[in-house]
């Protein structure tokens, strides 16, 4: 008789699959938000890139939808130690959004509706490493996971993937965001286990 495992959808844990140090695999999709879920309608949503000289580049929902979409499948790694393999997204690459933005900046501070911020080097948003994502698993991105749209930057711990993203401020000097000011690592590479300042 084959053993039937109840309640399992899709793969079973694969001990041969690579997890970053200290992480475990999860199959659900936990929600981690530092405050209440902002409700932003697609009609009111805008995304603004501001350069170090104050030049603003703005997209509304229609302009975002008119840009070429990509369908990345990526692994997510949260600093609270869960990882989720092979998540399916749709979004616009930051390479497309930043294509015509003239800047000397090396740092980015990402802003969200609701006031959350997170910082990262600008180069970590470029070269196919980051998206403004608006669909998850074939559906519109749910509000609790950052809908209408969130930043997705999966090579860093998931706190860098700002939900309800409203804009990116490009800066010559680095500036810590919400969790980075509270003792979390300024860069947050899961493979080097950069959870906290000094790691
Ligand atoms: N705006 C905003 N973005 C956020 C957060 C938040 O509290 N507010 N939490 C971060 C953290 S700590 C994690 S682990 C992920 C969680 O994303 P999820 O709720 O879709 O799993 O969102 C990140 N982006
Ligand atoms: Mo997190």
């Amino acid at each position: 008789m084959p053993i039937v495992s109840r309640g399992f959808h899709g793969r079973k844990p694969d001990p041969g699959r690579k997890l970053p140090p200290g992480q475990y695999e999860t199959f659900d999709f936990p929600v981690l938000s530092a405050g209440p879920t902002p409700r932003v309608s697609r009609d009111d949503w805008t995304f603004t890139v501001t350069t170090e000289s104050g030049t603003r580049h703005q997209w509304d929902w229609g302009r975002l939808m008119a840009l070429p979409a990509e369908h990345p499948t990526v692994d997510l790694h949260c600093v609270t130690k869960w990882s989720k393999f092979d998540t399916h997204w749709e979004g616009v690459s930051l390479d497309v959004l930043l294509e015509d933005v003239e800047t000397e900046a090396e740092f980015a501070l990402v802003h969200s509706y609701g006031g959350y911020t997170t910082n990262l080097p600008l180069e970590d948003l470029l070269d196919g490493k980051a998206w403004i994502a608006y669909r998850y698993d074939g559906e519109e991105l749910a509000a609790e996971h950052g809908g209408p749209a969130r930043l997705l930057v999966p090579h860093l711990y998931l706190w860098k993937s700002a939900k309800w993203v409203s804009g990116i401020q490009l800066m010559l000097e680095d500036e810590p965001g919400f969790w980075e000011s509270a003792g979390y690592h300024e860069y947050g590479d899961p493979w080097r286990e950069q959870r906290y300042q000094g790691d």
Side-chain angles (χ1 to χ4, degrees), residues 32-33 77-82 116 157-160 179 184:
L32 283 102
S33 304
H77 308 295
C78 175
V79 74
T80 63
K81 302 202 167 174
W82 58 267
Y116 184 86
Y157 280 124
L158 199 56
W159 88 75
K160 301 284 182 180
W179 285 119
Y184 283 83

Side-chain angles (χ1 to χ4, degrees), residues 145-156:
H145 287 298
R150 76 182 296 167
L151 180 65
L152 178 65
V153 48
H155 70 288
L156 300 176

Side-chain angles (χ1 to χ4, degrees), residues 121-134:
L122 176 55
E123 65 176 25
D124 287 84
L125 293 174
L126 300 173
D127 295 326
K129 293 197 288 290
W131 298 267
I132 299 298
Y134 48 82

Side-chain angles (χ1 to χ4, degrees), residues 40-46 60-62 148:
V40 187
S41 76
R42 286 165 179 73
D43 286 345
D44 295 333
W45 184 89
T46 58
D60 63 12
W61 194 257

Side-chain angles (χ1 to χ4, degrees), residues 104-119:
E104 303 279 303
E106 287 183 32
F107 302 98
L109 186 63
V110 185
H111 293 263
S112 294
Y113 291 97
Y116 184 86
T117 55
T118 187
N119 63 308

